[in-house]
Amino acid sequence: HDIPVPPGSSARANWFCMEDYHVYSSENLVDWTDHGVILSQTTVPWVRGNSYSMWAPDCVEKNGKYYFYFPAMNRIGVAIADKPYGPFKPQEQALSGIGGGIDPCVLIDKDGKAYLYYSMNAIFVAKLKDNMIELETQPQRIPNLPTRGLVEGPFTFERNGVYYLTYPHEVDGQERLEYATGDN
């Protein structure tokens, strides 16, 4: 959640300022329960306690564990829990093999293999190992997407055998949601 920029922090003025994550749940999508902070910049060993850069995350379940992928300081980390509302335990280090990135998204395919998508002035994808905390392949830039105005927020999913990749794209000062499709 965004907070006002604290005095003396390293956060950029008039920009997103996020120090932690909360989980909310609802039985009816009207009434919500705040389960509190599930992860904070002060509990992740590799994140500076005054960075305020915990931006758009993603969470997936695999084999009874919940894997929470989060960006901080232009790196991507993973925290693990037994329940979707935590408590989440962060890994000691950010994911190795990613030079920089934000806005992670994980797709678990029909065969159980997991793929991490993220942004860094382009959209990249890497296959995750079965342990969900290491890369099995080196990140690859996804080809045939816009090369200008593409900065963040990839989201991918499969429906009826078609894979969709949605992303914001800025053209002439206007941001719009676009998508690409594929069959594998």
Side-chain angles (χ1 to χ4, degrees), residues 6 15 47-48 66-67 72 74 83 85 91 99 118 123 139 147 152 156 161 164-165 171 178:
W15 191 246
V47 175
R48 284 192 326 268
Y66 292 85
Y67 297 88
N74 287 326
K83 298 179 176 132
Y85 48 83
Q91 298 299 293
Y118 65 93
I123 298 175
T147 57
E152 61 188 4
T156 188
Y164 295 84
L165 171 66
V171 177
E178 296 180 356

Side-chain angles (χ1 to χ4, degrees), residues 118-139:
Y118 65 93
S119 260
M120 197 59 174
N121 299 320
I123 298 175
F124 294 84
V125 63
K127 187 177 184 181
L128 291 165
K129 290 185 178 181
D130 286 337
N131 66 16
M132 301 293 284
I133 60 171
E134 295 176 278
L135 300 183
E136 185 171 312
T137 63
Q138 291 295 313

